Amino acid sequence: MSGNTRNCSSYFDARQRDGEIKGLFFLDETLRDTEGKRRTDLHFLDLERGEISDVLSTTPPDVPVGSTVVTCGNHAYTIGGTILRGGILRSLNHVFRFDFKHAERGWRKVSSMLYPGGLPEALAAQGKIYVFKGSRDCFGEVYDISWDSWVPLCVPSIAEYSGVSRPVLLDSSRSRILVHFSGDRYRSLYAYYYNDKSWVCLDPKFPYWSPTVGIVGNVLYVFHEISDDICSWKAYDVQDKKWLPVKWLTEFSLHQPVTAPVGAPLIHLGNDKWCMVWHSITLNCFEYLIFRMWRNGHGGIYAADVDGYRTSASFGSVNPTILMP
């Protein structure tokens, strides 16, 4: 592995300051080494300066293509993935761990999942990683980091006729995971309470969900695509179980950014500040929007951009993966 591994630790320490996220790590899987093998490189996006730094230029190519990346503390985990064997794309159950504080160790293999899965939904909470696959063979699994072991996730009855929407969402203040189910007849919002391993239906008719979703306090925010050109934000009070009106004090939110793909992740930076980030192949750069959303004291939500409409950072890639903080 080349690159200064001490820099990895310093970037990790610098990504959050004064209770606010200032930068993001991302993996780039597009480069190849001198032998023509696929390489996964680690980079750091400084949200304040709009700059990208090379952290480790040659992360070992052990991590499968199409895996899901989850961060927990100072570790990152790649889960599942796919491989082409005999002309057939096969899912894997491999799991690898990376320590930002000891980058010289590289990606190390830990216990594999019970069942294979390509691009499963996953998140970390209280020392465990929850993986949602939604398949008939395996609805989900739970990885105990301390014990390096996997157990099946209990299955809700709705899973028999509805699939899991992307993404699953951590509601840490209530020790639960929000899971949206979608099917031909049903679109419902459920909560999985991981301490007592139980499922509760929050809303049997929940039409709005997208890859761009986040929650703070009682308010769930969903970026809703109306058409190819027009998008809007929805806000839902998970305690009172009602939708809230959203008023933007700036105009950028009403139109989807020209080069933004469907599914740009929504990242809570701290307090009422949020960030949407995506990679534009057309412009060969990362673009991101930083904005605020807050309750206005009149039963609704106000929102406004922070320091301008959009920021970009030049970077050529085809398949970058943001490591969600």
Side-chain angles (χ1 to χ4, degrees), residues 58-74:
T58 53
T59 301
D62 299 349
V63 180
V65 176
S67 57
T68 297
V69 184
V70 176
T71 58
C72 182
N74 59 299

Side-chain angles (χ1 to χ4, degrees), residues 52-309:
I52 292 176
S53 301
D54 298 334
V55 180
L56 291 175
S57 60
T58 53
T59 301
D62 299 349
V63 180
V65 176
S67 57
T68 297
V69 184
V70 176
T71 58
C72 182
N74 59 299
H75 292 95
Y77 294 82
T78 63
I79 301 170
T82 57
I83 190 172
L84 190 63
R85 288 177 179 170
I88 300 175
L89 195 63
R90 302 180 184 276
S91 297
L92 302 173
N93 64 345
H94 300 329
V95 182
F96 293 85
R97 179 176 61 201
F98 177 79
D99 190 338
F100 289 98
K101 294 291 188 178
H102 297 281
E104 71 280 358
R105 300 174 182 173
W107 292 90
R108 293 190 170 186
K109 196 174 186 305
V110 296
S111 292
S112 298
M113 292 186 292
L114 302 176
Y115 295 89
L119 283 177
E121 285 300 303
L123 55 75
Q126 294 187 353
K128 295 182 179 179
I129 297 177
Y130 296 83
V131 178
F132 298 81
K133 303 176 185 178
S135 68
R136 292 188 176 183
D137 293 333
C138 178
F139 172 77
E141 302 181 38
V142 184
Y143 176 65
D144 190 311
I145 295 174
S146 298
W147 293 94
D148 188 29
S149 61
W150 291 87
V151 296
L153 181 69
C154 65
V155 184
S157 58
I158 191 175
E160 297 178 8
Y161 44 83
S162 293
V164 176
S165 304
R166 295 180 178 271
V168 293
L169 191 63
L170 179 63
D171 185 7
S172 58
S173 63
R174 297 175 177 84
S175 300
R176 66 186 185 182
I177 299 169
L178 301 183
V179 182
H180 183 262
F181 289 91
S182 60
D184 295 335
R185 298 169 51 196
Y186 301 94
R187 292 180 181 270
S188 306
L189 182 64
Y190 275 67
Y192 176 69
Y193 290 85
Y194 43 78
N195 286 338
D196 50 10
K197 303 177 182 179
S198 64
W199 287 91
V200 174
C201 179
L202 301 181
D203 196 326
K205 296 181 179 180
F206 200 88
Y208 303 116
W209 197 263
S210 82
T212 310
V213 61
I215 186 171
V216 167
N218 294 333
V219 182
L220 175 70
Y221 297 101
V222 183
F223 188 58
H224 175 58
E225 183 178 13
I226 300 173
S227 68
D228 291 340
D229 301 317
I230 305 298
C231 297
S232 68
W233 286 90
K234 302 293 183 180
Y236 180 80
D237 190 313
V238 295
Q239 180 170 307
D240 295 337
K241 298 184 178 181
K242 65 178 182 180
W243 293 96
L244 306 174
V246 180
K247 180 178 180 180
W248 285 88
L249 307 182
T250 52
E251 297 182 358
F252 81 85
S253 63
L254 299 180
H255 301 275
Q256 184 174 6
V258 176
T259 57
V262 176
L266 179 63
I267 300 168
H268 182 224
L269 300 181
N271 297 317
D272 58 10
K273 193 177 290 187
W274 296 84
C275 177
M276 278 180 68
V277 60
W278 64 94
H279 183 263
S280 168
I281 299 177
T282 305
L283 300 179
N284 222 28
C285 70
F286 271 99
E287 294 187 285
Y288 55 95
L289 306 173
I290 296 179
F291 50 94
R292 298 172 57 221
M293 293 190 289
W294 69 97
R295 302 197 79 145
N296 57 24
H298 303 287
I301 302 295
Y302 279 161
D305 67 279
V306 176
D307 299 330
Y309 174 71

Side-chain angles (χ1 to χ4, degrees), residues 2-61:
S2 63
N4 189 337
T5 57
R6 288 179 298 178
N7 284 344
C8 184
S9 180
S10 63
Y11 280 114
F12 181 81
D13 293 336
R15 70 172 183 159
Q16 187 168 345
R17 188 173 65 253
D18 300 327
E20 185 175 307
I21 293 172
K22 304 294 184 180
L24 301 169
F25 284 102
F26 68 93
L27 295 174
D28 176 33
E29 300 178 348
T30 64
L31 300 178
R32 295 182 181 274
D33 59 20
T34 55
E35 298 179 356
K37 296 181 180 179
R38 184 177 294 275
R39 199 174 73 206
T40 304
D41 295 350
L42 183 65
H43 304 271
F44 184 79
L45 170 60
D46 189 318
L47 296 174
E48 291 185 312
R49 300 179 180 179
E51 297 176 352
I52 292 176
S53 301
D54 298 334
V55 180
L56 291 175
S57 60
T58 53
T59 301

